[in-house]
Amino acid sequence: GRWAAGAQEAMEAERLDFTQGIEARALFAALPFLPVEPEELASLRHQLRCWNPLDTPPSAFPGLAVHNGLHSAIRSFLLGLLATRAGDLAEAREALDQLSTAPASVTVIALRKGLAAALVRAEDGALAALTVLGVPTTELWFQTTVVSPFLSLAHERFLRAELLYETGRYAEALGWYGSIAERTPFELVYAAPAQLRRAEIFARLGDHEAEKAAYQQALTHWRDLPLHLTASASPSLP
């Protein structure tokens, strides 16, 4: 819940390693429950457009080497997500086209499917987006998913939970929300919003004990947030 502090850390990271920093900042800005000013969103999109990921040298550090050869695809993925958030669906489609022409790999295919679903959701609604996602079939090695916010496919899994919620498939949505933030520390940002959404579902189902428990879990994740912010920090989930 310490969003401003996290943004500042990402800015510092960008000064030390532009690639890791810009990817982290753009991924933060793509999170649907985090507030992003239009000017910040426009600036990030401009930086991504100007950045040539091919200039990024390969890393020998295992935690970063999982992204070797993927930065161009990650850039397209992030450009598409931010364009969708900004309502620029034409640029989002361009980014999706770029991903479609990228060398095929399990990761690239998964990123493409996640972006396609986000775009279809904006154009045609949740039910059509669920059709794009299809059944979960992507298989990635755990040792790579645990060290990467992209290879964990957290964005796609949270999106799936949201789509299930929006289409009234509450039992399935509860399972997906409940499993978030159990694969990698990079997913912790989803933990409190997922529990808040679970609380909403339990309230709709009339299970007020479960609603209270889910809400308390969300507050636990945000326990370091000042009290006056905690009370008003329920994300504006779409």
Side-chain angles (χ1 to χ4, degrees), residues 65-122:
V66 295
H67 295 152
N68 287 345
L70 290 176
H71 293 294
S72 293
I74 290 172
R75 173 183 176 272
S76 296
F77 174 69
L78 293 170
L79 273 172
L81 291 184
L82 296 189
T84 301
R85 178 160 194 174
D88 187 349
L89 302 188
E91 182 167 350
R93 281 189 288 272
E94 289 178 11
L96 183 60
D97 289 342
Q98 291 171 6
L99 270 177
S100 299
T101 59
S105 69
V106 172
T107 301
V108 171
I109 292 171
L111 293 177
R112 185 167 66 224
K113 183 168 68 171
L115 176 56
L119 177 57
V120 168
R121 180 198 198 188

Side-chain angles (χ1 to χ4, degrees), residues 41-231:
L41 187 59
S43 175
L44 270 171
R45 293 174 65 199
H46 177 70
Q47 284 182 275
L48 281 173
R49 292 189 201 102
C50 295
W51 168 48
N52 183 1
L54 297 179
D55 291 338
T56 302
S59 176
F61 180 64
L64 301 180
V66 295
H67 295 152
N68 287 345
L70 290 176
H71 293 294
S72 293
I74 290 172
R75 173 183 176 272
S76 296
F77 174 69
L78 293 170
L79 273 172
L81 291 184
L82 296 189
T84 301
R85 178 160 194 174
D88 187 349
L89 302 188
E91 182 167 350
R93 281 189 288 272
E94 289 178 11
L96 183 60
D97 289 342
Q98 291 171 6
L99 270 177
S100 299
T101 59
S105 69
V106 172
T107 301
V108 171
I109 292 171
L111 293 177
R112 185 167 66 224
K113 183 168 68 171
L115 176 56
L119 177 57
V120 168
R121 180 198 198 188
E123 293 180 319
D124 301 315
L127 192 59
L130 270 177
T131 301
V132 170
L133 281 183
V135 297
T137 56
T138 304
E139 294 185 6
L140 293 168
W141 187 39
F142 175 76
Q143 293 298 328
T144 61
T145 62
V146 77
V147 298
S148 169
F150 300 103
L151 276 62
S152 71
L153 303 184
H155 179 274
E156 178 187 318
R157 290 185 290 117
F158 188 82
L159 174 60
R160 184 184 295 274
E162 289 284 89
L163 297 174
L164 291 168
Y165 170 81
E166 291 172 19
T167 53
R169 294 163 62 175
Y170 295 143
E172 293 173 82
L174 284 171
W176 283 93
Y177 286 124
S179 67
I180 205 76
E182 294 187 352
R183 179 175 293 185
T184 167
F186 289 107
E187 295 179 4
L188 290 176
V189 68
Y190 292 94
Q195 289 302 326
L196 287 172
R197 188 63 102 193
R198 281 168 59 84
E200 291 182 28
I201 293 175
F202 286 130
R204 287 175 178 264
L205 298 176
D207 189 341
H208 299 299
E209 287 299 317
E211 175 193 359
K212 181 180 178 181
Y215 186 66
Q216 287 300 321
Q217 286 192 50
L219 291 182
T220 297
H221 288 295
W222 281 341
R223 61 183 175 272
D224 293 329
L225 212 58
L227 183 60
H228 71 284
L229 291 178
T230 304

